Coordinates of all heavy atoms in Angstrom, one line a residue:
P1 N 9.2 0.4 6.1 CA 10.6 0.9 5.7 C 11.0 2.0 6.7 O 10.2 2.7 7.2 CB 10.5 1.3 4.3 CG 9.0 1.4 4.0 CD 8.3 0.6 5.0
H2 N 12.3 2.1 6.9 CA 12.8 3.1 7.7 C 12.6 4.5 7.1 O 12.8 4.7 5.9 CB 14.3 2.8 8.0 CG 14.8 3.6 9.1 ND1 15.4 4.9 8.9 CD2 14.9 3.4 10.4 CE1 15.8 5.3 10.0 NE2 15.5 4.5 11.0
R3 N 12.3 5.5 7.9 CA 12.1 6.8 7.4 C 13.2 7.4 6.6 O 13.1 8.0 5.5 CB 11.8 7.7 8.6 CG 11.5 9.2 8.3 CD 11.4 10.0 9.6 NE 11.0 11.3 9.3 CZ 9.8 11.7 9.1 NH1 8.8 10.9 9.1 NH2 9.6 13.0 8.8
D4 N 14.5 7.2 7.1 CA 15.7 7.8 6.4 C 15.9 7.1 5.1 O 16.3 7.7 4.1 CB 16.9 7.6 7.3 CG 16.9 8.5 8.5 OD1 16.1 9.5 8.5 OD2 17.5 8.2 9.5
L5 N 15.6 5.8 5.0 CA 15.7 5.1 3.7 C 14.7 5.6 2.7 O 15.0 5.8 1.5 CB 15.5 3.6 4.0 CG 15.8 2.7 2.8 CD1 17.2 2.8 2.3 CD2 15.5 1.2 3.2
L6 N 13.5 5.8 3.2 CA 12.5 6.4 2.3 C 12.9 7.7 1.7 O 12.8 8.0 0.5 CB 11.1 6.5 3.0 CG 10.3 5.2 3.2 CD1 9.2 5.4 4.1 CD2 9.9 4.6 1.9
L7 N 13.3 8.6 2.6 CA 13.7 9.9 2.2 C 15.0 9.9 1.3 O 15.1 10.8 0.4 CB 14.0 10.8 3.5 CG 12.8 11.2 4.3 CD1 13.2 11.8 5.6 CD2 11.9 12.1 3.5
A8 N 15.8 9.0 1.5 CA 17.0 8.9 0.6 C 16.7 8.4 -0.8 O 17.4 8.7 -1.7 CB 18.1 7.9 1.3
N9 N 15.6 7.7 -0.9 CA 15.3 7.0 -2.2 C 14.1 7.6 -3.0 O 13.8 7.2 -4.1 CB 15.1 5.5 -2.0 CG 16.4 4.9 -1.7 OD1 17.3 4.8 -2.5 ND2 16.5 4.4 -0.5
H10 N 13.3 8.5 -2.3 CA 12.1 9.0 -2.9 C 12.0 10.5 -2.7 O 12.4 11.0 -1.6 CB 10.8 8.3 -2.4 CG 10.8 6.9 -2.7 ND1 10.5 6.4 -3.9 CD2 11.2 5.8 -2.0 CE1 10.6 5.1 -3.9 NE2 11.0 4.7 -2.7
K11 N 11.4 11.2 -3.6 CA 11.2 12.7 -3.5 C 9.7 12.9 -3.2 O 8.8 12.2 -3.8 CB 11.6 13.4 -4.7 CG 13.0 13.4 -5.0 CD 13.4 14.2 -6.2 CE 14.9 14.0 -6.4 NZ 15.6 15.2 -6.7
F12 N 9.4 13.7 -2.2 CA 8.1 14.0 -1.8 C 7.8 15.5 -2.0 O 8.8 16.3 -1.7 CB 7.8 13.6 -0.3 CG 7.9 12.1 -0.1 CD1 9.1 11.5 0.3 CD2 6.9 11.3 -0.5 CE1 9.2 10.2 0.5 CE2 7.0 9.9 -0.3 CZ 8.1 9.4 0.2
P13 N 6.7 15.9 -2.4 CA 5.5 15.1 -2.8 C 5.8 14.3 -4.1 O 6.6 14.8 -4.9 CB 4.4 16.1 -3.0 CG 5.0 17.4 -3.3 CD 6.4 17.3 -2.6
G14 N 5.1 13.2 -4.2 CA 5.3 12.4 -5.4 C 4.7 11.0 -5.3 O 4.0 10.7 -4.3
A15 N 4.8 10.3 -6.4 CA 4.2 8.9 -6.4 C 5.0 7.9 -5.7 O 6.2 8.0 -5.6 CB 4.1 8.5 -7.9
Y16 N 4.3 7.0 -5.0 CA 4.9 5.9 -4.3 C 4.1 4.7 -4.5 O 2.9 4.7 -4.4 CB 5.1 6.2 -2.8 CG 5.9 5.3 -2.1 CD1 7.3 5.4 -2.0 CD2 5.3 4.1 -1.5 CE1 8.1 4.5 -1.3 CE2 6.1 3.2 -0.8 CZ 7.5 3.4 -0.7 OH 8.2 2.5 -0.1
V17 N 4.7 3.6 -4.8 CA 4.0 2.3 -5.1 C 4.2 1.3 -4.0 O 5.3 1.1 -3.6 CB 4.4 1.7 -6.5 CG1 3.7 0.4 -6.7 CG2 4.1 2.7 -7.6
I18 N 3.1 0.7 -3.6 CA 3.2 -0.4 -2.6 C 2.4 -1.6 -3.2 O 1.3 -1.4 -3.7 CB 2.5 0.0 -1.2 CG1 3.2 1.2 -0.6 CG2 2.5 -1.2 -0.3 CD1 2.6 1.7 0.7
K19 N 3.0 -2.8 -3.1 CA 2.4 -4.0 -3.6 C 2.1 -4.9 -2.4 O 2.9 -5.1 -1.5 CB 3.3 -4.8 -4.6 CG 3.5 -4.0 -5.9 CD 4.2 -4.9 -6.9 CE 4.3 -4.1 -8.2 NZ 3.2 -4.3 -9.0
V20 N 0.8 -5.3 -2.3 CA 0.3 -6.0 -1.1 C -0.2 -7.4 -1.6 O -1.0 -7.4 -2.6 CB -0.8 -5.2 -0.4 CG1 -1.3 -6.0 0.8 CG2 -0.3 -3.8 -0.1
F21 N 0.2 -8.5 -1.0 CA -0.2 -9.8 -1.4 C -1.0 -10.5 -0.3 O -0.7 -10.3 0.9 CB 1.1 -10.7 -1.7 CG 1.9 -10.2 -2.8 CD1 2.8 -9.1 -2.5 CD2 1.8 -10.7 -4.1 CE1 3.7 -8.6 -3.6 CE2 2.7 -10.2 -5.1 CZ 3.6 -9.2 -4.8
G22 N -2.1 -11.2 -0.7 CA -2.9 -11.9 0.2 C -4.0 -12.7 -0.5 O -3.9 -12.9 -1.7
P23 N -5.0 -13.1 0.3 CA -6.0 -14.0 -0.3 C -6.9 -13.2 -1.2 O -7.2 -12.0 -1.0 CB -6.8 -14.5 0.9 CG -6.5 -13.5 2.0 CD -5.2 -12.9 1.7
A24 N -7.4 -13.8 -2.2 CA -8.4 -13.2 -3.2 C -9.8 -13.2 -2.6 O -10.7 -13.9 -3.1 CB -8.3 -13.9 -4.5
Q25 N -9.9 -12.4 -1.5 CA -11.2 -12.4 -0.8 C -11.6 -10.9 -0.7 O -10.7 -10.0 -0.6 CB -11.1 -13.0 0.6 CG -10.7 -14.5 0.5 CD -10.5 -15.0 1.9 OE1 -10.3 -14.3 2.9 NE2 -10.4 -16.4 2.0
L26 N -12.9 -10.7 -0.6 CA -13.4 -9.3 -0.5 C -12.9 -8.6 0.7 O -12.5 -7.4 0.6 CB -15.0 -9.4 -0.5 CG -15.6 -8.0 -0.5 CD1 -15.3 -7.2 -1.7 CD2 -17.1 -8.2 -0.4
D27 N -12.8 -9.2 1.8 CA -12.4 -8.5 3.1 C -10.9 -8.1 3.0 O -10.6 -7.0 3.5 CB -12.7 -9.4 4.3 CG -12.0 -10.7 4.3 OD1 -11.6 -11.2 3.3 OD2 -11.8 -11.2 5.4
F28 N -10.1 -8.9 2.3 CA -8.7 -8.5 2.1 C -8.6 -7.3 1.1 O -7.9 -6.3 1.4 CB -7.9 -9.6 1.5 CG -6.4 -9.2 1.3 CD1 -5.6 -9.0 2.4 CD2 -5.9 -9.0 0.1 CE1 -4.3 -8.7 2.2 CE2 -4.6 -8.7 -0.2 CZ -3.8 -8.5 0.9
R29 N -9.4 -7.3 0.1 CA -9.4 -6.2 -0.9 C -9.9 -4.9 -0.1 O -9.3 -3.8 -0.2 CB -10.4 -6.5 -2.0 CG -9.8 -7.4 -3.0 CD -10.9 -7.6 -4.2 NE -10.3 -8.4 -5.2 CZ -10.5 -9.7 -5.3 NH1 -11.2 -10.4 -4.4 NH2 -10.0 -10.4 -6.3
E30 N -11.0 -5.0 0.5 CA -11.6 -3.8 1.2 C -10.7 -3.3 2.3 O -10.5 -2.1 2.5 CB -13.0 -4.2 1.8 CG -14.0 -4.4 0.8 CD -15.4 -4.8 1.4 OE1 -15.4 -5.2 2.5 OE2 -16.4 -4.7 0.6
G31 N -10.0 -4.2 3.1 CA -9.1 -3.8 4.1 C -7.9 -3.1 3.5 O -7.4 -2.1 4.1
T32 N -7.4 -3.6 2.4 CA -6.2 -2.9 1.8 C -6.6 -1.5 1.3 O -5.9 -0.6 1.5 CB -5.7 -3.8 0.6 OG1 -5.3 -5.1 1.1 CG2 -4.6 -3.1 -0.2
H33 N -7.7 -1.4 0.6 CA -8.2 -0.1 0.1 C -8.4 0.8 1.3 O -8.0 2.0 1.2 CB -9.5 -0.3 -0.7 CG -9.2 -1.0 -2.0 ND1 -9.9 -0.6 -3.1 CD2 -8.4 -2.0 -2.4 CE1 -9.5 -1.4 -4.1 NE2 -8.6 -2.2 -3.7
A34 N -9.1 0.4 2.3 CA -9.4 1.3 3.5 C -8.1 1.7 4.2 O -8.0 2.9 4.6 CB -10.3 0.5 4.5
A35 N -7.2 0.9 4.3 CA -5.9 1.2 5.0 C -5.2 2.4 4.2 O -4.7 3.3 4.8 CB -5.0 0.0 5.1
C36 N -5.1 2.3 2.9 CA -4.5 3.3 2.1 C -5.2 4.6 2.1 O -4.7 5.7 2.2 CB -4.2 2.8 0.7 SG -3.0 1.5 0.6
V37 N -6.5 4.5 2.0 CA -7.4 5.7 2.0 C -7.3 6.4 3.3 O -7.3 7.7 3.3 CB -8.8 5.3 1.5 CG1 -9.8 6.5 1.8 CG2 -8.8 4.9 0.1
R38 N -7.3 5.7 4.4 CA -7.2 6.3 5.7 C -5.9 7.1 5.9 O -5.8 8.1 6.6 CB -7.3 5.3 6.8 CG -8.7 4.9 7.1 CD -8.9 4.1 8.5 NE -7.8 3.2 8.8 CZ -7.8 1.9 8.7 NH1 -8.9 1.3 8.2 NH2 -6.7 1.2 9.0
A39 N -4.8 6.5 5.3 CA -3.5 7.2 5.4 C -3.4 8.4 4.5 O -2.7 9.4 4.8 CB -2.4 6.2 5.0
L40 N -4.1 8.4 3.4 CA -4.1 9.6 2.5 C -5.5 10.0 2.3 O -6.1 10.4 3.3 CB -3.4 9.2 1.1 CG -1.9 9.0 1.1 CD1 -1.5 7.6 1.6 CD2 -1.3 9.2 -0.2
T41 N -6.0 10.0 1.1 CA -7.4 10.2 0.8 C -7.7 9.4 -0.5 O -6.8 9.0 -1.2 CB -7.7 11.7 0.4 OG1 -7.1 12.1 -0.8 CG2 -7.4 12.6 1.6
A42 N -9.0 9.2 -0.7 CA -9.4 8.3 -1.9 C -8.9 9.0 -3.2 O -8.6 8.3 -4.1 CB -10.9 8.2 -1.9
A43 N -8.9 10.3 -3.2 CA -8.5 11.0 -4.5 C -7.0 10.8 -4.8 O -6.6 11.0 -5.9 CB -8.8 12.5 -4.3
R44 N -6.2 10.4 -3.8 CA -4.8 10.3 -4.0 C -4.3 8.9 -4.0 O -3.1 8.7 -3.9 CB -4.0 11.2 -2.9 CG -4.3 12.7 -3.1 CD -3.4 13.6 -2.3 NE -3.7 13.4 -0.9 CZ -2.7 13.2 0.0 NH1 -1.5 13.1 -0.4 NH2 -3.0 13.1 1.3
V45 N -5.2 7.9 -4.1 CA -4.8 6.5 -4.2 C -5.5 5.9 -5.3 O -6.7 6.0 -5.5 CB -5.1 5.8 -2.9 CG1 -4.6 4.4 -2.9 CG2 -4.6 6.5 -1.6
R46 N -4.7 5.1 -6.1 CA -5.3 4.3 -7.2 C -4.9 2.9 -7.0 O -3.8 2.6 -6.5 CB -4.8 4.8 -8.6 CG -5.4 6.1 -9.0 CD -4.8 6.6 -10.3 NE -3.3 6.7 -10.0 CZ -2.4 6.6 -11.0 NH1 -2.7 6.3 -12.2 NH2 -1.1 6.7 -10.6
F47 N -5.7 1.9 -7.4 CA -5.5 0.5 -7.1 C -5.6 -0.2 -8.4 O -6.4 0.1 -9.3 CB -6.5 -0.1 -6.1 CG -6.4 0.6 -4.8 CD1 -7.3 1.6 -4.5 CD2 -5.5 0.2 -3.8 CE1 -7.3 2.2 -3.2 CE2 -5.5 0.7 -2.6 CZ -6.4 1.7 -2.3
S48 N -4.7 -1.3 -8.5 CA -4.9 -2.3 -9.6 C -4.7 -3.6 -8.9 O -4.0 -3.7 -7.9 CB -3.9 -2.0 -10.7 OG -2.6 -2.1 -10.3
E49 N -5.2 -4.7 -9.6 CA -5.1 -6.0 -9.0 C -4.6 -7.0 -10.1 O -4.8 -6.9 -11.2 CB -6.5 -6.5 -8.6 CG -6.9 -6.0 -7.3 CD -8.2 -6.6 -6.9 OE1 -8.6 -7.7 -7.3 OE2 -8.9 -6.0 -6.0
R50 N -3.9 -8.0 -9.5 CA -3.5 -9.2 -10.4 C -3.7 -10.4 -9.6 O -3.3 -10.5 -8.4 CB -2.1 -9.0 -10.8 CG -1.7 -9.8 -12.0 CD -0.4 -9.3 -12.5 NE 0.3 -10.4 -12.9 CZ 1.5 -10.4 -13.5 NH1 2.1 -9.3 -13.6 NH2 2.1 -11.5 -13.9
S51 N -4.4 -11.4 -10.2 CA -4.7 -12.7 -9.5 C -3.6 -13.7 -9.8 O -3.0 -13.7 -10.9 CB -6.0 -13.2 -9.9 OG -7.0 -12.4 -9.5
S52 N -3.4 -14.7 -8.9 CA -2.5 -15.8 -9.2 C -3.2 -16.7 -10.2 O -4.4 -16.6 -10.5 CB -2.3 -16.6 -7.9 OG -3.5 -17.1 -7.4
K53 N -2.4 -17.6 -10.7 CA -2.9 -18.6 -11.7 C -4.1 -19.3 -11.2 O -5.1 -19.5 -11.9 CB -1.9 -19.6 -12.2 CG -0.9 -19.0 -13.2 CD 0.0 -20.1 -13.7 CE 0.9 -19.6 -14.8 NZ 1.7 -20.7 -15.3
G54 N -4.0 -19.8 -10.0 CA -5.1 -20.5 -9.4 C -6.3 -19.7 -8.9 O -7.4 -20.2 -8.6
G55 N -6.1 -18.3 -8.9 CA -7.2 -17.4 -8.5 C -7.4 -17.3 -7.0 O -8.3 -16.6 -6.6
N56 N -6.6 -18.0 -6.2 CA -6.9 -17.9 -4.7 C -6.0 -16.8 -4.0 O -6.3 -16.5 -2.9 CB -6.7 -19.2 -4.1 CG -5.3 -19.8 -4.3 OD1 -4.6 -19.4 -5.2 ND2 -4.9 -20.8 -3.5
K57 N -5.1 -16.2 -4.7 CA -4.2 -15.2 -4.2 C -4.3 -13.9 -5.1 O -4.5 -14.1 -6.3 CB -2.8 -15.6 -4.0 CG -2.5 -16.8 -3.1 CD -2.6 -16.4 -1.7 CE -2.3 -17.6 -0.8 NZ -2.5 -17.3 0.6
I58 N -4.0 -12.8 -4.5 CA -4.0 -11.6 -5.3 C -2.8 -10.7 -4.9 O -2.4 -10.7 -3.8 CB -5.3 -10.7 -5.3 CG1 -5.6 -10.3 -3.8 CG2 -6.4 -11.4 -6.0 CD1 -6.8 -9.3 -3.7
C59 N -2.4 -9.9 -5.9 CA -1.5 -8.8 -5.6 C -2.2 -7.5 -5.9 O -2.7 -7.3 -7.0 CB -0.2 -8.9 -6.5 SG 0.8 -7.4 -6.4
I60 N -2.3 -6.6 -4.9 CA -3.0 -5.3 -5.1 C -1.8 -4.3 -5.1 O -1.0 -4.2 -4.2 CB -3.9 -5.0 -3.9 CG1 -5.0 -6.1 -3.9 CG2 -4.5 -3.6 -4.1 CD1 -6.0 -5.9 -2.7
T61 N -1.8 -3.5 -6.2 CA -0.8 -2.4 -6.3 C -1.5 -1.2 -5.9 O -2.6 -0.8 -6.5 CB -0.3 -2.4 -7.7 OG1 0.3 -3.6 -8.0 CG2 0.7 -1.2 -7.8
A62 N -1.0 -0.5 -4.9 CA -1.5 0.8 -4.5 C -0.6 1.9 -4.9 O 0.6 1.9 -4.6 CB -1.7 0.9 -3.0
M63 N -1.1 2.8 -5.8 CA -0.3 3.9 -6.3 C -0.7 5.2 -5.5 O -1.7 5.7 -5.7 CB -0.5 4.1 -7.8 CG 0.0 2.9 -8.5 SD -0.8 2.5 -10.1 CE -2.3 1.8 -9.5
L64 N 0.2 5.5 -4.6 CA 0.0 6.7 -3.7 C 0.5 7.9 -4.2 O 1.7 8.0 -4.7 CB 0.6 6.4 -2.3 CG 0.4 5.0 -1.7 CD1 1.2 5.0 -0.4 CD2 -1.1 4.7 -1.4
E65 N -0.2 9.0 -4.2 CA 0.3 10.4 -4.4 C 0.6 11.0 -3.1 O -0.3 11.7 -2.5 CB -0.7 11.2 -5.3 CG -0.8 10.7 -6.7 CD 0.5 10.8 -7.5 OE1 1.3 11.8 -7.2 OE2 0.8 10.0 -8.3
A66 N 1.7 10.7 -2.5 CA 2.0 11.1 -1.1 C 2.6 12.5 -1.1 O 3.4 12.9 -1.8 CB 3.1 10.1 -0.6
E67 N 2.1 13.3 -0.1 CA 2.6 14.6 0.1 C 3.9 14.6 0.9 O 4.7 15.5 0.7 CB 1.5 15.4 0.9 CG 0.3 15.7 0.2 CD 0.5 16.6 -1.0 OE1 1.3 17.6 -0.9 OE2 -0.1 16.4 -2.1
D68 N 4.1 13.6 1.8 CA 5.3 13.5 2.5 C 5.5 12.1 3.0 O 4.7 11.2 2.8 CB 5.3 14.5 3.7 CG 4.1 14.2 4.7 OD1 3.8 13.1 5.0 OD2 3.5 15.2 5.1
V69 N 6.7 11.8 3.5 CA 7.1 10.5 4.0 C 6.2 10.0 5.1 O 6.0 8.8 5.1 CB 8.6 10.5 4.4 CG1 8.8 11.3 5.7 CG2 9.1 9.1 4.6
D70 N 5.6 10.8 5.9 CA 4.8 10.4 7.0 C 3.5 9.7 6.4 O 3.0 8.7 7.1 CB 4.4 11.5 7.9 CG 5.6 12.1 8.6 OD1 6.5 11.2 9.0 OD2 5.7 13.3 8.8
E71 N 3.0 10.1 5.3 CA 1.8 9.5 4.7 C 2.2 8.0 4.3 O 1.4 7.1 4.4 CB 1.3 10.3 3.5 CG 0.6 11.5 4.0 CD 0.0 12.3 2.8 OE1 0.5 12.2 1.7 OE2 -0.9 13.1 3.1
V72 N 3.3 7.9 3.7 CA 3.8 6.5 3.3 C 3.9 5.6 4.5 O 3.5 4.5 4.5 CB 5.1 6.6 2.4 CG1 5.6 5.2 2.1 CG2 4.9 7.4 1.2
I73 N 4.6 6.1 5.5 CA 4.7 5.3 6.7 C 3.4 4.9 7.3 O 3.2 3.8 7.7 CB 5.6 6.1 7.7 CG1 7.1 6.1 7.2 CG2 5.6 5.4 9.1 CD1 8.0 7.0 8.0
A74 N 2.5 5.9 7.3 CA 1.1 5.6 7.9 C 0.4 4.5 7.0 O -0.3 3.7 7.6 CB 0.3 6.9 7.9
A75 N 0.6 4.6 5.7 CA 0.0 3.6 4.9 C 0.5 2.2 5.2 O -0.2 1.2 5.3 CB 0.2 3.9 3.4
Y76 N 1.9 2.1 5.3 CA 2.5 0.8 5.7 C 1.9 0.3 7.0 O 1.6 -0.9 7.2 CB 4.0 0.9 5.8 CG 4.7 0.7 4.4 CD1 5.3 1.8 3.8 CD2 4.8 -0.5 3.8 CE1 5.9 1.6 2.6 CE2 5.4 -0.7 2.6 CZ 6.0 0.4 2.0 OH 6.7 0.2 0.8
E77 N 1.9 1.2 8.0 CA 1.4 0.8 9.4 C 0.0 0.2 9.3 O -0.3 -0.8 10.0 CB 1.5 2.0 10.3 CG 2.9 2.3 10.7 CD 3.0 3.6 11.5 OE1 2.0 4.4 11.6 OE2 4.1 3.9 12.0
R78 N -0.9 0.9 8.5 CA -2.3 0.4 8.4 C -2.3 -0.9 7.6 O -3.2 -1.7 8.0 CB -3.1 1.5 7.8 CG -3.4 2.7 8.8 CD -4.0 3.9 8.1 NE -4.4 4.9 9.0 CZ -3.6 5.8 9.6 NH1 -2.3 5.8 9.3 NH2 -4.1 6.7 10.4
L79 N -1.5 -1.0 6.6 CA -1.6 -2.2 5.8 C -1.1 -3.5 6.6 O -1.6 -4.5 6.4 CB -0.7 -2.1 4.6 CG -1.3 -1.2 3.5 CD1 -0.2 -0.8 2.4 CD2 -2.5 -1.9 2.8
Y80 N -0.2 -3.3 7.5 CA 0.3 -4.4 8.3 C -0.8 -4.9 9.2 O -0.7 -6.1 9.7 CB 1.5 -4.0 9.2 CG 2.8 -4.1 8.4 CD1 3.5 -2.9 8.1 CD2 3.3 -5.3 7.9 CE1 4.7 -3.0 7.4 CE2 4.5 -5.3 7.2 CZ 5.2 -4.2 6.9 OH 6.4 -4.2 6.2
E81 N -1.9 -4.2 9.4 CA -3.0 -4.6 10.3 C -4.1 -5.3 9.5 O -5.0 -5.8 10.1 CB -3.6 -3.4 11.0 CG -2.6 -2.7 11.9 CD -3.2 -1.4 12.5 OE1 -4.3 -1.0 12.1 OE2 -2.5 -0.8 13.2
V82 N -4.0 -5.4 8.2 CA -5.0 -6.0 7.3 C -5.0 -7.5 7.5 O -3.9 -8.1 7.3 CB -4.8 -5.6 5.8 CG1 -5.8 -6.4 5.0 CG2 -5.0 -4.1 5.6
P83 N -6.1 -8.1 7.9 CA -6.1 -9.6 8.1 C -5.8 -10.3 6.7 O -6.4 -9.9 5.7 CB -7.6 -9.9 8.5 CG -8.0 -8.6 9.1 CD -7.3 -7.5 8.3
G84 N -5.0 -11.3 6.8 CA -4.7 -12.1 5.6 C -3.5 -11.7 4.9 O -3.1 -12.3 3.9
L85 N -2.9 -10.6 5.3 CA -1.7 -10.1 4.6 C -0.6 -11.1 4.6 O -0.3 -11.7 5.6 CB -1.2 -8.8 5.3 CG 0.1 -8.2 4.8 CD1 -0.1 -7.6 3.4 CD2 0.6 -7.2 5.8
S86 N 0.0 -11.4 3.4 CA 1.1 -12.3 3.3 C 2.4 -11.6 3.1 O 3.4 -12.0 3.7 CB 0.9 -13.2 2.0 OG -0.3 -13.9 2.2
L87 N 2.4 -10.5 2.3 CA 3.7 -9.8 2.0 C 3.4 -8.4 1.5 O 2.4 -8.2 0.9 CB 4.3 -10.6 0.8 CG 5.7 -10.1 0.3 CD1 6.8 -10.2 1.3 CD2 6.0 -10.8 -1.0
I88 N 4.3 -7.5 1.8 CA 4.2 -6.1 1.3 C 5.6 -5.8 0.6 O 6.6 -6.1 1.2 CB 4.0 -5.1 2.4 CG1 2.7 -5.3 3.1 CG2 4.1 -3.7 1.9 CD1 2.4 -4.3 4.2
L89 N 5.5 -5.3 -0.5 CA 6.7 -4.8 -1.3 C 6.6 -3.3 -1.6 O 5.5 -2.8 -1.7 CB 6.9 -5.6 -2.6 CG 7.1 -7.1 -2.5 CD1 7.2 -7.7 -3.9 CD2 8.4 -7.4 -1.7

């Protein structure tokens, strides 16, 4: 997302949610977690998961406690590099 759009719609520091969709595989889960933790810290990111009916796809929700907009942008940039990524919301 564009920096100005993020700043217009969110207050920082504060919570920011990113939903990431991809294959229900360990490397996708680990890559998603590592990308967010590298952008912030493990203490400021929480994750939850939801599987598709068939169990072959997952949605990982990353709840970030971002200090500023740059951390959110860094998380998105790292997430786009995760192999298997289908969609980010």
Side-chain angles (χ1 to χ4, degrees):
H2 193 272
R3 179 185 186 81
D4 293 336
L5 186 59
L6 284 170
L7 289 171
N9 291 293
H10 297 281
K11 294 185 185 223
F12 296 99
Y16 190 87
V17 176
I18 300 175
K19 292 187 178 272
V20 182
F21 299 82
Q25 298 173 347
L26 183 60
D27 59 338
F28 180 72
R29 285 181 174 95
E30 289 176 347
T32 298
H33 290 215
C36 291
V37 168
R38 280 193 325 255
L40 286 83
T41 64
R44 293 192 293 130
V45 183
R46 290 175 299 151
F47 298 97
S48 62
E49 284 186 18
R50 198 165 143 180
S51 296
S52 65
K53 278 188 178 184
N56 58 341
K57 300 283 183 183
I58 57 171
C59 171
I60 300 174
T61 301
M63 293 152 283
L64 314 176
E65 287 299 327
E67 291 295 321
D68 56 44
V69 69
D70 294 322
E71 288 182 335
V72 173
I73 291 169
Y76 275 108
E77 288 173 348
R78 286 171 173 82
L79 286 166
Y80 279 115
E81 297 173 358
V82 175
L85 174 70
S86 298
L87 178 69
I88 297 179
L89 297 176

